[in-house]
Amino acid sequence: MTEGKKVAYKNIGLIANPIKPKSGEGIERIIEKLKSYPVRLYTDEETCKLTGKECKPYVKIVDRLALPDKVDVILVLGGDGTFLTVAKLVDKKPVPLLGINFGTLGFLTEIPIDGIEESLERLLKGEFIVENRPVIRVKILRKNGHISIYRCVNEVAIKRDTLARIIEIEVEADGEYVTTFRGDGVIVATPTGSTAYSLSAGGPILMPTLSAMLLTPICPHTLTLRPLVLEGRICLSAKLKTESETVMVIFDGQEGIELRKGDVIEITRSPYDLLILRDPKKSYYQTLREKLKWG
């Protein structure tokens, strides 16, 4: 790697979705572009194997869990699901992510594969801006204490099993009773997650940097139950009132646990935002027009 070029990021991580057909090609293009710059590339063994070539002369292989401690930025190749997985890996570390879209809709991975080389040049010049995205912290409480704690980028969904009947979920905000949701369940989404599951359930789209939480009912039994936008610094709690039905709590659509009657889901804003690199030449309105085919 040559010296003499000033770069904004000197230690760059690479993580790709192994099931995307173009992942190997994308990694090879990134290596080819960056090997002439004074940067160090890091990846995990699984991503390195996607190239079909020997990537080790140019890329240092580390354990995936250790990657955020080694780098200044992580390039994520895949769709939004891959991006969410890497976001959990970063967790409390102030490492920004840049998503390269090999998926379909891709609200989080906005850089198209055709624009990899140009985007890398602009990244190294420091032309991308870091955007702070609120993340929610979800604690599951049972009679004998908490079961587990999760960090969600998009949403936490409390929903009935496929064959279950209507369920009841009592919701409080900062200790004050809000309402009892009766229906298929309820979604608590971040502004980033407003374009994910919540949008499919009829929720509004929020600007992703807002300090807010979005409460969206899933197929409510009463038509007057509508999506509600709440201040992002509140403590929201949802208590399962249903006893005989199978109810799950799902985190970012990737993992979940079964609830029992009386379980409380406590939701607050995490003190650690997710850092996303964004092209300042591209507004969020443009992203919405492209992804949702507006106009």
Side-chain angles (χ1 to χ4, degrees), residues 25 73 88 124 129 145 155 159 164 166 176 236 274 281:
E25 174 197 338
V73 62
K88 289 179 173 60
L124 295 179
I129 61 174
E155 79 279 309
K159 55 187 294 188
I166 287 172
E176 181 178 350
L236 199 67
L274 175 65
K281 295 182 179 180

Side-chain angles (χ1 to χ4, degrees), residues 170-179 230 234-239:
E170 182 180 285
V171 175
E172 293 183 353
D174 284 339
E176 181 178 350
Y177 176 68
V178 177
T179 188
L230 302 167
I234 66 167
C235 176
L236 199 67
S237 65
K239 184 175 183 179

Side-chain angles (χ1 to χ4, degrees), residues 14-115:
L14 309 172
I15 295 181
N17 186 335
I19 65 172
K20 295 292 183 182
K22 295 184 178 180
S23 290
E25 174 197 338
I27 293 294
E28 289 174 10
R29 287 170 61 181
I30 290 172
I31 293 172
E32 184 64 28
K33 181 67 179 179
L34 295 183
K35 67 183 182 182
S36 62
Y37 285 83
V39 298
R40 298 182 185 89
L41 299 180
Y42 295 82
T43 191
D44 62 331
E45 191 69 43
E46 185 179 31
T47 299
C48 183
K49 288 179 180 178
L50 297 175
T51 62
K53 298 179 180 179
E54 185 62 51
C55 68
K56 293 180 181 179
Y58 303 105
V59 185
K60 184 173 178 58
I61 310 302
V62 298
D63 185 89
R64 178 173 288 199
L65 294 178
L67 191 66
D69 295 318
K70 304 286 186 181
V71 300
D72 310 312
V73 62
I74 297 177
L75 308 182
V76 183
L77 291 79
D80 281 359
T82 309
F83 197 95
L84 291 171
T85 300
V86 178
K88 289 179 173 60
L89 179 69
V90 174
D91 197 15
K92 301 174 183 178
K93 299 176 178 66
V95 179
L97 308 181
L98 178 63
I100 299 170
N101 186 18
F102 288 0
T104 50
L105 197 56
F107 275 95
L108 293 170
T109 50
E110 67 172 33
I111 304 299
I113 184 173
D114 294 337

Side-chain angles (χ1 to χ4, degrees), residues 72-294:
D72 310 312
V73 62
I74 297 177
L75 308 182
V76 183
L77 291 79
D80 281 359
T82 309
F83 197 95
L84 291 171
T85 300
V86 178
K88 289 179 173 60
L89 179 69
V90 174
D91 197 15
K92 301 174 183 178
K93 299 176 178 66
V95 179
L97 308 181
L98 178 63
I100 299 170
N101 186 18
F102 288 0
T104 50
L105 197 56
F107 275 95
L108 293 170
T109 50
E110 67 172 33
I111 304 299
I113 184 173
D114 294 337
I116 286 180
E117 285 81 6
E118 178 188 356
S119 295
L120 288 175
E121 284 187 12
R122 296 184 58 213
L123 172 70
L124 295 179
K125 290 177 182 177
E127 294 182 10
F128 282 77
I129 61 174
V130 178
E131 192 170 82
N132 287 59
R133 298 288 186 91
V135 173
I136 54 176
R137 180 175 179 268
V138 184
K139 183 187 291 186
I140 312 300
L141 303 170
R142 198 157 276 173
K143 292 179 181 179
N144 59 348
H146 79 269
I147 303 175
S148 54
I149 298 175
Y150 293 83
R151 182 174 183 263
C152 297
V153 174
N154 274 348
E155 79 279 309
V156 55
I158 308 163
K159 55 187 294 188
R160 70 180 180 88
D161 187 64
T162 306
L163 299 178
R165 291 171 291 186
I166 287 172
I167 62 174
E168 294 188 355
I169 302 164
E170 182 180 285
V171 175
E172 293 183 353
D174 284 339
E176 181 178 350
Y177 176 68
V178 177
T179 188
T180 299
F181 286 87
R182 296 177 178 87
D184 286 0
V186 65
I187 301 164
V188 180
T190 65
T192 297
S194 69
T195 51
Y197 190 9
S198 176
L199 184 64
S200 299
I205 295 173
L206 304 183
M207 297 300 287
T209 55
L210 288 176
S211 177
M213 287 188 201
L214 178 54
L215 198 59
T216 305
I218 305 172
C219 299
H221 187 60
T222 304
L223 293 178
T224 54
L225 279 175
R226 313 306 298 172
L228 178 64
V229 179
L230 302 167
E231 213 291 318
R233 295 292 179 181
I234 66 167
C235 176
L236 199 67
S237 65
K239 184 175 183 179
L240 180 63
K241 306 292 286 184
T242 305
E243 184 170 14
S244 59
E245 304 302 325
T246 302
V247 181
M248 298 292 295
V249 55
I250 311 294
F251 312 99
D252 277 341
Q254 295 186 328
E255 54 185 324
I257 60 174
E258 186 175 335
L259 296 176
R260 300 176 187 172
K261 181 182 179 181
D263 283 355
V264 175
I265 299 93
E266 185 180 275
I267 304 156
T268 55
R269 177 172 174 173
S270 170
Y272 305 99
D273 290 347
L274 175 65
L275 305 182
I276 292 180
L277 283 164
R278 193 176 63 77
D279 184 351
K281 295 182 179 180
K282 187 176 182 180
S283 73
Y284 190 60
Y285 305 115
Q286 182 180 346
T287 298
L288 291 175
R289 289 196 301 272
E290 290 176 358
K291 303 297 183 182
L292 300 178
K293 311 300 181 185
W294 288 356

